[in-house]
Amino acid sequence: MTLWERSGDTVRHQICHSNERQFLRDLVQCVSGTSGGRLARWLQPDPYVDTARCSLLYAKEDLRQGWPAVLTVVTRDQYGDVVHVPYLKVDAKALPIDKRDAGDEYTRKVRRVSEPDEHTFGGQPYPSLDVPYEITIKDKTYCHAITMMKAYENYSFEELRYISPAVKRSSETMLVRPHGNGTYSVTWTPASVGWYSLVITIDGYNMDEMHKVEVKETPQGLIPPKQSTVRKQPNQPSRLRKFVAKKSAGLRIRAHPSLQSEQIGVVPVNGTISFIDE
């Protein structure tokens, strides 16, 4: 809103921020958590795929290095019901993360490593890691050990392992297969041991729930399971309710839980009631 104020011969230009404009912007963009977004949802009660209610089901004990695991993505609408949308694009990938980023539940104290000083390598200078590996020949003998090289002959295996950088893990893409009933099978064979963050994308939108899993080493002599056992997680209670009745003019809404209180609205048959915390 723009205001012009005249004071004598001076005209001052003032700009006022209007709540109505912000409300209309939230209404058009359907911004979640705003009054405009809630009104837009109420005006369009038709079901749609809600990424906040979609779920990912898997068994943690089956996530082993080199074992094929089957995960299940379930698409749900804003009411919590399973819905099937033809040609819905579902992508899944596993991003490697550090154990410290797995959350407070799995946080461990990490020992702080001091910076190398003059006594770290027995008085030897800090070794250079730019020397390429090559086989060393001494007394007509082929030596394949890196400590036999001229650049590293004064260092032990433990010292070289101490300064060597950690091998970075790459992200892994999963194969997704639709079943035509609102569920999708995700096949994943973890390539390495460690923590991963599972990212599920539905038509370009990420699922709100974050899944951080740990891939453990494969036990020796144990055969991989043929099919992963999926444990269904309990659904969170929905904040949307639909009024279903026969031969009814609607559900009356009163200001207080009393029949003598003022009626402030009516929910028609098959209308939707939204519970909001403000």
Side-chain angles (χ1 to χ4, degrees):
M1 181 181 297
T2 304
L3 299 178
W4 296 88
E5 180 181 356
R6 178 179 294 274
S7 177
D9 296 334
T10 305
V11 178
R12 291 184 297 178
H13 180 214
Q14 296 181 352
I15 299 178
C16 300
H17 296 282
S18 175
N19 294 330
E20 288 78 6
R21 287 191 176 184
Q22 184 64 36
F23 173 80
L24 293 176
R25 188 179 297 108
D26 297 338
L27 175 66
V28 174
Q29 298 179 358
C30 197
V31 180
S32 60
T34 62
S35 57
R38 289 189 288 268
L39 178 59
R41 298 299 188 193
W42 185 82
L43 294 175
Q44 298 176 348
D46 296 335
Y48 63 92
V49 177
D50 190 357
T51 55
R53 299 193 176 274
C54 297
S55 57
L56 176 64
L57 309 179
Y58 57 91
K60 295 183 179 180
E61 58 271 12
D62 291 345
L63 299 180
R64 304 280 183 173
Q65 180 184 9
W67 279 15
V70 179
L71 299 80
T72 304
V73 176
V74 182
T75 54
R76 302 180 184 274
D77 59 8
Q78 70 271 30
Y79 306 109
D81 300 328
V82 179
V83 292
H84 168 62
V85 179
Y87 308 108
L88 188 68
K89 185 178 181 181
V90 179
D91 298 325
K93 60 182 178 180
L95 302 179
I97 59 176
D98 190 75
K99 184 168 61 174
R100 291 170 293 182
D101 300 332
D104 297 336
E105 181 181 358
Y106 305 100
T107 302
R108 300 290 186 272
K109 292 184 178 180
V110 181
R111 181 177 60 88
R112 297 183 60 184
V113 180
S114 59
E115 294 293 333
D117 53 18
E118 59 181 4
H119 302 290
T120 301
F121 302 103
Q124 298 293 331
Y126 194 90
S128 175
L129 301 179
D130 299 332
V131 180
Y133 170 77
E134 60 181 6
I135 300 176
T136 305
I137 302 176
K138 285 189 176 182
D139 299 332
K140 299 181 180 181
T141 303
Y142 290 86
C143 302
H144 295 266
I146 191 175
T147 53
M148 299 299 295
M149 296 174 55
K150 185 66 176 178
Y152 304 124
E153 61 182 0
N154 295 325
Y155 305 94
S156 63
F157 285 110
E158 289 74 15
E159 291 174 335
L160 296 178
R161 188 182 297 111
Y162 172 77
I163 64 171
S164 61
V167 179
K168 294 184 179 180
R169 298 177 297 162
S170 58
S171 60
E172 303 177 16
T173 305
M174 309 179 192
L175 179 63
V176 181
R177 293 189 180 93
H179 293 292
N181 57 356
T183 61
Y184 298 80
S185 295
V186 181
T187 305
W188 179 36
T189 304
S192 59
V193 178
W195 285 92
Y196 287 88
S197 176
L198 305 182
V199 180
I200 308 298
T201 305
I202 301 177
D203 265 0
Y205 294 91
N206 294 336
M207 288 179 52
D208 293 354
E209 187 177 1
M210 297 294 296
H211 295 271
K212 298 179 181 180
V213 298
E214 181 184 11
V215 177
K216 300 181 180 180
E217 295 182 356
T218 305
Q220 296 183 358
L222 191 61
I223 301 176
K226 295 182 179 180
Q227 185 177 3
S228 298
T229 303
V230 177
R231 295 181 179 178
K232 189 173 182 180
Q233 300 177 354
N235 296 329
Q236 297 182 355
S238 175
R239 291 190 177 184
L240 295 178
R241 297 292 185 271
K242 181 183 291 186
F243 176 64
V244 180
K246 294 181 179 180
K247 298 180 181 180
S248 174
L251 179 64
R252 298 180 181 179
I253 301 178
R254 300 184 181 274
H256 300 283
S258 174
L259 295 177
Q260 286 75 25
S261 60
E262 179 186 1
Q263 178 179 335
I264 59 177
V266 177
V267 179
V269 178
N270 295 328
T272 303
I273 306 174
S274 177
F275 297 88
I276 303 170
D277 294 334
E278 290 187 344

